[in-house]
Amino acid sequence: GAVVSQHPSWVICKSGTSVKIECRSLDFQATTMFWYRQFPKQSLMLMATSNEGSKATYEQGVEKDKFLINHASLTLSTLTVTSAHPEDSSFYICSARAPGDEQYFGPGTRLTVT
Amino acid sequence: AQSVSQHNHHVILSEAASLELGCNYSYGGTVNLFWYVQYPGQHLQLLLKYFSGDPLVKGIKGFEAEFIKSKFSFNLRKPSVQWSDTAEYFCAVTKDSWGKLQFGAGTQVVVTP
């Protein structure tokens, strides 16, 4: 199957700083990427959908100015958590897909805000 | 509100036992249904999917699922589990093929030797 990577796999940042998470499709061109958030022992919650070259579409309740998503190329999408707070601590997972194909998931990024 | 419910949060069973995980959804109209698996330390992988046709679908690693439209259910089954089936299993639903997924809460399955 296709491979999706995320970097970093684990990050600790101080409250008030920003942190960027990268999601890459390694062996296919991803026209659409999705960003999910997963709290401990809970399900994945879709945060936003990004299509290459377009602005991301955010789910209800997700602050677009806080979670900046850029899908600048067919193999890379980034999620920037701005002015992070402890309540932003979570596991962030991306997925990527080519048209008509399934979503392939990245391994996730553990964010801890101190 | 649209939702996806998984009945069991945690299941423990012995090798060779049969497994059935329940999934119900509350969407109206046509839906596409998925089961994903996440092995310890690994990313989510697709086990099987239902788009249309035969409501009994077979996936990888001996798993199958049955779509029962009247019950809004898509239960996952495996006749005889192995220790390597220890993982977290997620049911997911979308209205548009491979589009936005709504996940259930997940079921942690532990298979003991």
Side-chain angles (χ1 to χ4, degrees):
Chain A
V3 179
V4 176
S5 70
Q6 283 184 242
H7 177 80
S9 56
W10 181 56
V11 58
I12 300 175
C13 70
K14 291 187 176 181
S15 189
T17 63
S18 296
V19 60
K20 181 184 286 187
I21 302 169
E22 293 185 348
C23 176
R24 292 182 186 272
S25 58
L26 298 186
D27 50 4
F28 68 101
Q29 293 188 326
T31 50
T32 306
M33 288 185 169
F34 302 87
W35 286 95
Y36 297 85
R37 183 172 179 177
Q38 186 178 27
F39 292 100
K41 300 190 184 300
Q42 294 188 33
S43 185
L44 285 78
M45 301 292 293
L46 179 65
M47 298 174 66
T49 303
S50 75
N51 292 297
E52 187 267 339
S54 303
K55 288 185 177 180
T57 303
Y58 291 81
E59 295 300 300
Q60 191 172 10
V62 178
E63 298 176 61
K64 62 180 181 180
D65 294 330
K66 181 168 188 58
F67 298 100
L68 300 179
I69 292 172
N70 187 304
H71 191 166
S73 78
L74 286 171
T75 59
L76 173 65
S77 176
T78 59
L79 167 67
T80 301
V81 183
T82 62
S83 188
H85 289 123
E87 56 265 32
D88 299 324
S89 298
S90 192
F91 196 55
Y92 293 88
I93 301 172
C94 74
S95 70
R97 71 176 181 97
D101 200 2
E102 67 178 269
Q103 290 186 38
Y104 295 96
F105 287 81
T109 296
R110 172 77 59 195
L111 170 64
T112 301
V113 184
T114 60
Chain B
Q2 296 167 335
S3 65
V4 181
S5 300
Q6 291 184 237
H7 309 311
N8 308 97
H9 293 296
H10 203 97
V11 172
I12 301 174
L13 61 167
S14 302
E15 276 191 311
S18 63
L19 172 69
E20 180 160 1
L21 302 180
C23 173
N24 286 89
Y25 62 93
S26 64
Y27 287 64
T30 302
V31 295
N32 301 295
L33 300 153
F34 306 79
W35 276 97
Y36 285 88
V37 61
Q38 187 171 28
Y39 297 104
Q42 296 188 28
H43 56 273
L44 277 165
Q45 301 174 44
L46 181 66
L47 263 183
L48 48 79
K49 66 184 186 296
Y50 174 79
F51 282 6
S52 63
D54 188 345
L56 184 62
V57 293
K58 295 190 183 301
I60 60 172
K61 307 190 181 194
F63 285 91
E64 64 179 31
E66 184 175 13
F67 170 53
I68 303 179
K69 189 175 181 179
S70 61
K71 295 185 177 181
F72 297 87
S73 71
F74 189 55
N75 293 353
L76 180 71
R77 298 193 291 255
K78 185 169 184 178
S80 176
V81 295
Q82 301 172 315
W83 177 80
S84 58
D85 293 321
T86 294
E88 187 149 20
Y89 294 80
F90 293 93
C91 179
V93 178
T94 181
K95 294 281 283 181
D96 53 350
S97 297
W98 295 108
K100 298 193 298 184
L101 293 166
Q102 182 167 3
F103 284 87
T107 299
Q108 182 67 50
V109 174
V110 175
V111 180
T112 59

